[in-house]
Amino acid sequence: MSRLDSFIRRMTVQRDILDHVCAEVAEMEGPVLELGLGNGRTFHHLRERLPGRRIVAFDRALAAHASSIPEAENLVLGEIRETASRFIGIDAALVHADIGTGYEDRDAVTSTWLPDLTARLLRVGGIAVSGTPLDHPQLQRLSPPPSIAADRYFICRRV
């Protein structure tokens, strides 16, 4: 599969999973955390799906399209592992993490800290959606919608 086809597939799966969980997230209290703002496409999508909801976006540096930049108080720049740690206990309804690089060695390092950080950011019952596995005792893996392969994108609930 070409890298372009892989990207399109990943974005389609990401959209479909976020759409799948947003109805449930809309009924929960707590902010939404976007770990990895990037170009801002997912932030923009979440803003449309969850109107009026506080969405805090994290990234190393600002590279988002002008239409997809959160308000200054909801944009946190710096190393995500460090900056998001300051939000532990925020009881997020949703944490979306799209910070995988496609390099196994780099993603293996991220997998050493992302699951625990995600669990500590979420409220009990909150949902995590991630491009990388979130193996943690407080995160129960949920099945994706039937149209999505179980190992393509990951959904978990904080127990």
Side-chain angles (χ1 to χ4, degrees):
M1 176 183 301
S2 74
R3 290 190 66 228
L4 177 60
D5 285 334
S6 179
F7 174 77
I8 292 167
R9 183 175 144 204
R10 184 170 63 89
M11 292 297 99
T12 301
V13 165
Q14 186 182 96
R15 180 204 58 213
D16 292 351
I17 285 183
L18 289 172
D19 287 351
H20 176 75
V21 302
C22 274
E24 185 175 347
V25 169
E27 300 298 318
M28 285 184 221
E29 291 187 25
V32 169
L33 304 183
E34 173 71 19
L35 305 184
L37 177 62
N39 183 279
R41 288 179 292 261
T42 305
F43 168 81
H44 193 268
H45 189 74
L46 288 169
R47 191 169 56 190
E48 284 190 358
R49 295 298 183 270
L50 299 165
R53 189 59 155 274
R54 181 180 184 203
I55 303 173
V56 182
F58 299 79
D59 215 326
R60 285 186 180 137
L62 182 59
H65 186 272
S67 67
S68 301
I69 298 173
E71 308 81 11
E73 65 272 14
N74 292 321
L75 176 63
V76 183
L77 299 178
E79 289 298 320
I80 294 170
R81 180 180 184 180
E82 298 165 12
T83 58
S85 292
R86 296 194 305 255
F87 287 75
I88 288 172
I90 196 168
D91 288 338
L94 172 66
V95 172
H96 174 248
D98 184 20
I99 57 176
T101 64
Y103 292 99
E104 286 186 30
D105 57 334
R106 293 181 193 172
D107 291 345
V109 171
T110 301
S111 291
T112 65
W113 58 265
L114 182 60
D116 185 62
L117 176 62
T118 300
R120 296 171 75 195
L121 293 169
L122 281 171
R123 68 179 301 108
V124 171
I127 295 176
V129 175
S130 176
T132 56
L134 295 171
D135 298 321
H136 189 277
Q138 292 180 321
L139 297 175
Q140 175 187 37
R141 188 180 264 183
L142 303 175
S143 298
S147 62
I148 298 170
D151 62 345
R152 184 62 183 160
Y153 224 77
F154 305 91
I155 309 170
C156 298
R157 180 180 313 282
R158 167 74 158 72
V159 293

